[in-house]
Amino acid sequence: MENKRVEVKINNVEYTLVTNETEEYVQKVALLVNKKMAQITGVNPQLSTAMTAVLASINLADELIKVDGALDNFRGEVNIYADENKKLKMELDEKKLEVEKLKEDMHKLQIELARRETELSNYKKR
């Protein structure tokens, strides 16, 4: 992708960002930063812009770390479920083989039963 300039407004200051991301994405990022800074300014309007930016960065980093942790936990759960799924699939395959073997045995027994019934029928006719 080619770098492009995107104009954003954060804390009532215009910035030109050079990026290879879509303008929609960059505006979304800027909106999030602006929202964080507005929240901090709302709580303590006496803070300087630099201090507000640092606190917003800390809050965003905190959220990122928590989301990363939740994502790691989610990946761990997915791996557990994938392993369990693999085990269950193997068990299912084994049961399918067992069913096939039982069907073969049943078929052999049906043939044997038919043979013996024929023998019995022939024996009774004598």
Side-chain angles (χ1 to χ4, degrees):
M1 273 188 149
E2 191 174 306
N3 284 345
K4 57 185 157 282
R5 296 178 180 277
V6 179
E7 301 290 326
V8 297
K9 192 172 188 177
I10 299 172
N11 202 33
N12 294 320
V13 177
E14 297 275 337
Y15 296 92
T16 301
L17 303 177
V18 178
T19 180
N20 60 359
E21 300 290 346
T22 65
E23 182 169 351
E24 179 183 357
Y25 176 79
V26 174
Q27 291 295 343
K28 189 175 180 179
V29 170
L31 182 63
L32 178 62
V33 171
N34 191 54
K35 191 184 271 187
K36 280 291 174 196
M37 290 185 72
Q39 287 173 348
I40 292 167
T41 302
V43 173
N44 193 346
Q46 289 80 25
L47 292 175
S48 69
T49 301
M51 188 62 164
T52 302
V54 168
L55 291 174
S57 297
I58 289 169
N59 287 334
L60 289 168
D62 176 55
E63 289 177 18
L64 176 63
I65 290 168
K66 287 176 181 172
V67 167
D68 280 347
L71 182 57
D72 287 343
N73 289 340
F74 179 71
R75 284 183 181 134
E77 288 179 22
V78 166
N79 287 336
I80 289 169
Y81 292 136
D83 290 345
E84 186 176 324
N85 185 49
K86 186 177 179 180
K87 179 183 170 192
L88 290 172
K89 185 178 181 325
M90 288 174 56
E91 287 178 19
L92 177 62
D93 290 343
E94 288 172 9
K95 296 299 180 190
K96 284 179 181 179
L97 288 173
E98 188 177 325
V99 166
E100 288 303 313
K101 170 107 173 60
L102 289 171
K103 283 181 181 179
E104 287 176 21
D105 291 348
M106 185 177 74
H107 183 69
K108 289 176 185 176
L109 289 170
Q110 286 173 333
I111 292 171
E112 180 65 20
L113 177 62
R115 185 183 64 75
R116 290 191 181 200
E117 285 177 343
T118 302
E119 287 176 0
L120 183 62
S121 175
N122 290 338
Y123 180 74
K124 286 183 180 179
K125 288 181 184 176
R126 291 186 198 169

